[in-house]
Amino acid sequence: MQWFLIILLAAVIFAAAFYYQKKKIDQLAAEGKIIRRSGLFYEESEIFETSANYEDLRAIFSRLDLSEMKVTYYPDLEGSRTLLFKSGYAWNASLKDMGSKDGKNVLKFSFPAWDEKNGQVHNINSMNMMVTQVEKAILSLDPNAMVENHKMQLKTKTKLF
């Protein structure tokens, strides 16, 4: 009987957490802050071919309020044409100018680093919000931008303690 109650309590807690997360995702999607994505979207890079240029994107992000995602913005990372976004939720994102191809600018957006807690990415919704912000910024400059998703080669670190 005691085990049954423990299992039942665990199931109720799991269901409540799942329901809360779904409601939060529905709310953010309704507000246009996120787009529904695959569960492992942060393991993919997005390659944009666009007429939008790095300087215009740098200017857009310097004006945007990224505080809801706890993001600090660093343009021109170490002298390169890379925008770095560091989040207080233990993830980093970057938007890098990769040059040009067939008269279009090529930009790569990815999450080069994130932390997990208990096997879950910490505040994945904020990561989705960041991807959505980047997509909206590029599309505001070039509605005809093309994007391809590519699975990234990942290096992981296992923490024993």
Side-chain angles (χ1 to χ4, degrees), residues 48-54 97 99-101 103-107:
F48 295 92
E49 289 186 22
T50 178
S51 62
N53 65 46
Y54 175 81
D97 183 344
S100 63
K101 175 182 168 186
K104 293 283 190 172
N105 297 315
V106 179
L107 304 166

Side-chain angles (χ1 to χ4, degrees), residues 32 52 82 126:
T82 301
S126 67

